[in-house]
């Protein structure tokens, strides 16, 4: 029997799972345009390592029902983001290991997804695996990227601590001004 060819950019999920097929490969990072949009401006995306991925299809039998369609996805990537402490570029490794349960329609997916720890998606005949990989990588990005310990911390804006204290002393206390105003407007008995 001839083994079927599966296209990761146009994947028939149900057939892929029923074949218990697997695919693997890598894509250049620049092919994931939405992921690249958040990159540090100083970084050259062409220098990023390729995004490595692997997917396995599976049909899980259910007693008294239809088999469940599953995809297991693993991805390794590295992006360069801007550290929010020192504003320097920093490499962020990303490693995904996800299972996706595919169901017949969007309504069922929404109902099951609310109650399940697994990701539940609606069945599609033509899944763009690269788009799914990019979505998952975007979800895995840190909200506030920052080094554990910045190589070059930003210089202090005001200089040393004495200058900061002097500037603080020169500024009038807004509550003292309010108390003075309050005292002037109240007639004395």
């Amino acid at each position: 029997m001839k083994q079927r060819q599966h296209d990761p950019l146009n994947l028939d999920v149900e057939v892929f799972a029923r074949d218990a097929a697997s695919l693997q490969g890598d894509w250049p990072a620049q092919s994931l345009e939405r992921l690249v949009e958040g990159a540090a401006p100083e970084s050259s995306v062409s220098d990023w390592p390729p995004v490595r991925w692997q997917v396995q299809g599976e049909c899980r039998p259910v007693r008294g029902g239809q088999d469940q369609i599953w995809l297991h996805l693993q991805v390794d990537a590295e992006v360069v983001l801007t550290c929010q402490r020192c504003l320097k570029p920093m490499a962020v490794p990303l490693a995904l290991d996800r299972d996706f349960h595919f169901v017949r329609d969007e309504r069922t997916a929404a109902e099951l997804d609310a109650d399940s720890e697994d990701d539940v998606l609606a069945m599609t005949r033509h899944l763009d695996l690269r788009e799914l990989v990019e979505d998952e990588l975007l979800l895995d990005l840190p909200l506030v990227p920052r080094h554990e310990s910045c190589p070059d911390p930003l210089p202090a804006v005001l200089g040393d601590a004495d200058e900061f204290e002097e500037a603080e002393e020169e500024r009038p206390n807004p509550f003292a001004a309010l108390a003075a105003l309050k005292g002037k407007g109240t007639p004395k008995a």
Side-chain angles (χ1 to χ4, degrees):
M1 182 170 132
K2 184 178 175 188
Q3 192 172 20
R4 243 185 287 238
Q5 293 292 339
H6 296 282
D7 179 4
L9 303 180
N10 190 15
L11 191 63
D12 185 331
V13 175
E14 187 169 7
V15 170
F16 185 75
R18 293 205 185 284
D19 288 350
S22 64
L23 291 170
Q24 64 184 17
D26 55 82
W27 292 308
Q30 56 265 42
S31 69
L32 305 176
E33 295 173 4
R34 293 177 295 144
L35 187 65
V36 170
E37 285 176 8
E42 308 88 337
S43 97
S44 173
V45 178
S46 60
D47 294 338
W48 291 9
V51 174
R52 298 194 191 296
W53 57 271
Q54 182 175 327
V55 66
Q56 173 73 45
E58 177 185 6
C59 276
R60 295 182 186 170
V62 175
R63 188 181 301 191
Q66 286 187 315
D67 291 349
Q68 293 181 342
I69 305 296
W70 288 82
L71 287 184
H72 180 74
L73 177 67
Q74 293 177 306
V75 181
D76 288 307
E78 185 176 287
V79 297
V80 179
L81 303 174
T82 302
C83 172
Q84 297 302 298
R85 280 191 195 131
C86 66
L87 303 178
K88 303 281 187 209
M90 63 177 282
V92 177
L94 301 171
L96 305 175
D97 192 354
R98 303 256 199 297
D99 286 315
F100 298 93
H101 176 198
F102 284 83
V103 295
R104 293 283 165 215
D105 56 51
E106 291 286 342
R107 188 175 105 314
T108 306
E111 288 172 4
L112 290 175
D113 197 37
D115 298 331
S116 176
E117 289 185 21
D118 297 310
D119 291 314
V120 181
L121 300 174
M123 183 68 71
T124 178
R125 271 186 91 73
H126 306 287
L127 175 70
D128 184 342
L129 190 61
R130 184 167 38 200
E131 190 174 299
L132 178 63
V133 165
E134 186 172 27
D135 288 346
E136 293 302 312
L137 287 172
L138 287 167
L139 290 171
D140 207 46
L141 288 175
L143 290 175
V144 182
R146 56 183 178 241
H147 293 102
E148 286 291 323
S149 176
C150 291
D152 299 319
L154 286 175
V157 175
L158 290 175
D160 64 12
D162 292 334
E163 287 180 32
F164 179 74
E165 288 174 11
E166 286 175 20
E168 223 21 64
E169 288 173 7
E170 290 175 12
R171 199 170 78 194
N173 183 334
F175 294 108
L178 182 61
L181 287 172
K182 189 174 179 182
K184 289 181 183 176
T186 312
K188 295 192 177 193

